[in-house]
Amino acid sequence: MFTEELEMELVEYFKELDSMFYELTRSEFFRLAYDLAQKNTITHPLNWDKNRSAGNEWLKGFNHRYSEIVLKKPEQTTIARARGLICHKLTVFTTFYGTKW
């Protein structure tokens, strides 16, 4: 249904979010695919309009073509990990802007 270019945009967007430790849920990914189809006036199944999201059959085909995309149930970030991320971001910020805290 999508062109290879549009599917690659989805894959790259997914990878970019993953690199920032943001995991999409299945429903968010389905909605993203629906929005992409709407924006590009791509013919899609009628049940997509009813649910305002893509369906399981589309995801099966997409996963077959791009097996590196894995949708997981997001987990809460532990306090220790959150503190580590904050320290890392402050270090990057201060290195970039030359600010000392």
Side-chain angles (χ1 to χ4, degrees), residues 8 11-12 14-15 18 63 65-71:
M8 286 308 299
V11 169
E12 292 303 316
F14 184 88
K15 288 180 178 179
D18 192 51
N63 279 340
R65 290 185 296 280
Y66 305 98
S67 59
E68 71 269 22
I69 301 299
V70 178
L71 296 170

Side-chain angles (χ1 to χ4, degrees), residues 1-43:
M1 175 169 83
F2 291 113
T3 64
E4 189 175 335
E5 290 173 345
L6 286 176
E7 284 192 346
M8 286 308 299
E9 279 187 40
L10 271 176
V11 169
E12 292 303 316
Y13 183 69
F14 184 88
K15 288 180 178 179
E16 184 177 330
L17 289 177
D18 192 51
S19 73
M20 295 185 290
F21 304 105
Y22 184 84
E23 298 172 347
L24 288 174
T25 63
R26 288 172 63 91
S27 60
E28 288 171 331
F29 195 62
F30 285 167
R31 195 162 301 128
L32 182 64
Y34 172 76
D35 290 344
L36 187 64
Q38 288 292 102
K39 181 179 177 185
N40 290 283
T41 60
I42 294 172
T43 305

Side-chain angles (χ1 to χ4, degrees), residues 45-71:
L46 292 176
N47 64 336
W48 284 31
D49 288 325
K50 179 182 172 190
N51 302 324
R52 300 189 58 80
S53 68
N56 288 323
E57 290 301 315
W58 172 80
L59 183 61
K60 287 179 189 176
F62 186 82
N63 279 340
H64 181 71
R65 290 185 296 280
Y66 305 98
S67 59
E68 71 269 22
I69 301 299
V70 178
L71 296 170

